[in-house]
Each structure stands twice: as C-alpha cells, then as structure tokens.
C-alpha cells in the first residue's frame, strides 16, 4: 500500500515539474500565467486524475454502486477552460493571452496523462509544447527568465508636463515600461481639508542592472510636480 502511495506522489511531482517547465517559458516572456500557475494546474490535474482512477476502489465490490472512473477526470477539461479564459483580454483591438490560455489547458492535459501513469506521453507533450511556443514565437529570444518586473506608483499634479518628464527619465536610464495606467485621485487619503485633484500613475517596469529601486525613487521625486513615488515587486 505504501509503495502505491509513493508512486502516486511521484506522479504528482513529475506533473508539477512538467507544468513548471511550460510555465518557465511563459514567465520568460512576461506573460500573465507563469511557473506557479502552470505548476499548480499540472499538480491539481494529476491529483484529480489519480482520485478519479483510484479513489473509489474500495467501492468496487458494492453491488448497488456503478462507478465511472473517467467521470471526475472529464470535469478537469471544462474546469480549466474557465481558468484559461481569465488570461484572455483585448488590447488595442487585438486579442491577447490566447497562447497562454491554451498552454494552461494543455498543461492540465499533461497533468492528467502523468497522473494516469502515462509518463512518456506527458513528458513528451511537455517538450513539444515548449519547443513549439519557443520556435513559433513572433519575437524569438533566448529561453532565459527575465527579472521580476516592479510596480511603480507615482502621485503627480499637472500631469500634462509630469508624465512626459517621468517617461523621459525612465527612458534615459533604459528602464522598460510594460504597461501604464492612470486614475484621478480627488483627495489624499490622510488629507483633513479639500485639496486639488492628483493623478495616480501606475506602471509595470523592468529595471536594468545599473539602477536599483532605492536609486530610482529619489530620481523621480526630484522631478517637478511629483508628490510621491513608490516601487513594489
């Protein structure tokens, strides 16, 4: 019995490793779902496949019970579809995230295969997915994970002048901006009286090796109309 349990745990671990490999490629391109997401999807799918296949063996001799070993496993395919749909979004009239969503769905299949004991098939499909995602990508880059992006928040006034100044400062220091978002903040949270409207500028940035977060904060705070600078990972 203990050896059977060890084998099941081994299947889950192998599935998680396969999912992490697929997620590594997505993470290296700064996609929405990375190593952790693909790892959990693969592990969960493998676990549910094992439960579906072996979890009800103690009821096999019950004369009034009819078992379908594929019933639990069949729900994984549709269930993971909802998870993948969360990575799809529209950006400038273009659909983004389809490949990542399909990768999550395929990762669930890999986890199911390994959970069922089909090691060669699951590992082979993992390598196939990674090779195709890398080889067919529009911008081919080395398969090396990039540094974790930082979240930059800046509170500014007179945004017509401040935003170009901030973007110029980032560009001069070769700091890549992945995304940019702004919203009006009518009053500061700790303000006792009415104050002018502020603009919260939020950006996802990639720092280079020559500048650190502690160096970027005073740099941006020295710009005109900048009231607050905060950097989080």
């Amino acid at each position: 019995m203990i050896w059977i349990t060890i084998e099941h745990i081994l299947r889950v671990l192998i599935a998680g490793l396969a999912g992490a490999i697929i997620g590594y490629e997505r993470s290296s391109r700064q996609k929405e779902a990375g190593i952790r997401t693909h790892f959990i999807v693969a592990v969960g799918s493998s676990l549910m496949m094992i439960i579906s296949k072996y979890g009800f063996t103690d009821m096999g001799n019950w004369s009034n019970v009819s078992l379908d070993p594929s019933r639990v496993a069949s729900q994984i395919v549709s269930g993971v579809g909802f998870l993948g749909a969360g990575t799809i979004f529209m950006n400038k009239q273009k659909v983004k995230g389809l490949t990542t969503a399909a990768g999550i769905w395929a990762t669930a299949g890999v986890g199911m295969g390994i959970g069922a004991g089909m090691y060669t098939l699951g590992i082979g499909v993992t390598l196939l997915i990674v090779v195709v995602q890398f080889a067919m990508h529009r911008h081919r880059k080395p398969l090396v994970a990039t540094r974790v992006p930082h979240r930059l928040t800046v509170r500014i006034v007179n945004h017509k002048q401040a935003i170009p100044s901030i973007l110029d400062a980032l560009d001069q220091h070769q700091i890549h901006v992945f995304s940019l978002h702004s919203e009006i903040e009518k009053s500061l949270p700790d303000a006792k009286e009415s104050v002018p409207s502020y603009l919260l500028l939020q950006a996802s940035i990639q720092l280079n090796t020559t500048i650190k977060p502690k160096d970027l904060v005073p740099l941006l705070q020295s710009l005109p109309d900048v009231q607050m600078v905060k950097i989080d990972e």
Side-chain angles (χ1 to χ4, degrees), residues 80-220:
V80 173
F82 286 99
L83 178 63
T87 66
I88 302 174
F89 61 95
M90 290 289 294
N91 183 21
K92 297 180 180 180
Q93 304 302 317
K94 293 183 179 180
V95 180
K96 302 288 186 179
L98 282 176
T99 302
T100 302
I104 292 176
W105 186 71
T107 300
V110 169
M112 292 173 65
I114 296 176
M118 306 169 72
Y119 299 104
T120 303
L121 178 62
I123 295 173
V125 172
T126 298
L127 297 177
L128 178 63
I129 292 172
V130 173
V131 169
V132 170
Q133 285 183 337
F134 174 69
M136 301 299 292
H137 199 274
R138 189 170 46 182
H139 305 292
R140 298 176 187 174
K141 299 178 181 179
L143 194 61
V144 177
T146 56
R147 294 180 297 276
V148 177
H150 291 74
R151 183 178 180 86
L152 173 67
T153 303
V154 184
R155 182 184 288 121
I156 57 178
V157 295
N158 191 15
H159 59 274
K160 291 184 179 180
Q161 296 181 10
I163 292 180
S165 299
I166 293 172
L167 295 179
D168 287 343
L170 296 176
D171 185 62
Q172 289 176 5
H173 289 80
Q174 299 179 344
I175 297 175
H176 181 66
V177 179
F178 292 109
S179 63
L180 198 64
H181 171 74
S182 64
E183 61 182 39
I184 297 294
E185 186 180 60
K186 294 184 179 181
S187 61
L188 296 176
D190 55 351
K192 297 181 179 179
E193 299 179 358
S194 177
V195 296
S197 296
Y198 287 82
L199 185 75
L200 279 180
L201 184 68
Q202 296 178 332
S204 179
I205 61 173
Q206 179 67 69
L207 298 178
N208 56 44
T209 57
T210 61
I211 190 168
K212 298 180 179 179
K214 64 179 182 179
D215 301 322
L216 182 60
V217 171
L219 173 67
L220 295 181

